Amino acid sequence: MRGRLLASWLLLGLVLIAVAVVAAPGSSYSNQDREQPLAGASMHHLAGTDTLGRDRLVRVAAAFLLSLAGAIAAAAVTTAAAAGVGTLSAFSPATLGRLGMLVCDVFLALPWLFMLMMVRSALPLTTSPAHSAAITFLVLAALGWPACARAVYRGALDLRNSEWMLQARAGGLRGKQIARHVLPNLVPLLMPQFLICIPAFIIAEANLGALGLGIGEPLPSWGGMLLELDNSSMLLQTSWVYLPIALLILILLLLEAIAVEV
Amino acid sequence: MNSAVSLLKRLARTVLIVFLVVVGSTVLIRFAPGYLSDAREMDARYGDAARAELSAEAARSVSLRQMLSMEMSAWTNGSLGLSRQYDVPVLELVLPRLAVTGGLMLRAIVFAWSLALCASLLSSAGRNPSLLWQAPAALLLGVPTAAMATICLLAGSGGPVLVMTLLLAARDFKFLDRLLRMAWLDPHLLQARAQGLTTFRLVRAHILPSITPQLLALATLSIVTALSALVPVEVIFSVPGLGQLAWNAAMNRDLPVLLAVTMIMAIAVTFSGMASDRFGEWQRA
């Protein structure tokens, strides 16, 4: 419990610092300082600049906020979809329930990265960076729910067969009234699923971006910044190139710590 | 007789899932907003006539029914479709790469399982989860595969097998450690330990048989994890496997190739799941 609290405070601190960096007057993730490409740390650029002269610290902070917000939104959509499908399948007639789980199996049979690549490659060639970011997280949400729905289905089935539920149904409670009692009982199951999804989606976005299929430039993303590591000549010039990967690992570890302790 | 019927039912369900995957993926591709745009139309080397032919080809494949029937006939005649990028049957591209990917996955899974099993046996022997074992696993799980592969490449040590092994071992360890920790607390094992049975005998005769169904489920999960790691690993290490082929197809909008590779992966996942379920049932019987 103490570890989770510490991780939460640390993450909140990082978010506040990132907001302060991004919102500072004059800072923009796409502003180019053409005089100083690949510069080291200075008063103007605390973590140096990238090959195009853009401030690395601002880009890292913006990528952090963007990926965290996108992953949280996607995880919320995934969890809501899983809660809906799992609960409806459990409380429907058996045939409908089995059909719901068959749909889950179909989604689970598809390796997510291949599916993501397929959807991303079928987008128009002129997709804007903001749209590419929205679509990336939307696709992640659309592909992430089946495993969670299966867990919710099992939990909801147990609830359906519980004695208090039998009594409630025998007492004549209607569907809406039953749902009002079922959903709070599913929260202990949904909360870990939601928290597990956040780091998983951030990793997925980073992997996709590192393959050149993630969020489009000039929007900053973890994956886009990891691509810098491919340039070995750049690595010799400045060690600030490692900042994104170090920060990404730290954030993922904090998120994992929060998820594990729930 | 019952066993045969159950096997047939499971096989029918698996085939149905694969069929639905084919239909679902085709529908998804067809209604993707950029389906009709072709990267070749932007290639200056193509003349006006070729561009017109490409547009006509795209227009011909507008109907979903036609697309599905083409997909089905491509799979039934064994060609798996025609690559847009290379203009050759997809099967010719897939077959040589299948062995490379299969070999890489097999080696990674075997090494990862050995590593995870040894580590979790040592770790679970302790009373509480030790940070010595948990921290490296958490760290490995926190690094995106692409970043891990790039770091290994830059460091000049380790190759695709090592990266996949580490990733799979970390994930397997997380589950195995929890499984074994629970298994060690079984009352009959506590009594057996008190009577002086050796650890090796306890593990071989009592623990491993009792956790076999969970191990089989974990085996399927290992395959899914390995498939997910395949693309970044093969692309970064330039391994000429299915992952690299899929990435190349995605970058060049070669959808028939991408669709075929996705289907092959879906078939592998579904049938491995079915095999592990079946083996688990047989083991329990």
Side-chain angles (χ1 to χ4, degrees), chain B residues 104-123:
Chain B
L104 174 64
M105 277 180 60
L106 193 70
R107 273 180 292 165
I109 289 174
V110 169
F111 289 147
W113 268 75
S114 313
L115 192 64
L117 203 60
C118 291
S120 53
L121 277 171
L122 288 170
S123 155

Side-chain angles (χ1 to χ4, degrees), chain B residues 75-148:
Chain B
W75 276 75
T76 45
N77 69 25
S79 69
L80 307 186
L82 193 71
S83 161
R84 275 188 190 181
Q85 191 188 355
Y86 301 107
D87 224 9
V88 293
V90 176
L91 190 72
E92 281 182 24
L93 297 171
V94 166
L95 270 184
R97 290 161 184 264
L98 209 57
V100 177
T101 297
L104 174 64
M105 277 180 60
L106 193 70
R107 273 180 292 165
I109 289 174
V110 169
F111 289 147
W113 268 75
S114 313
L115 192 64
L117 203 60
C118 291
S120 53
L121 277 171
L122 288 170
S123 155
S124 63
R127 194 175 289 273
N128 292 313
S130 159
L131 204 65
L132 177 75
W133 298 103
Q134 305 291 334
L139 189 68
L140 284 172
L141 286 176
V143 186
T145 318
M148 203 195 295

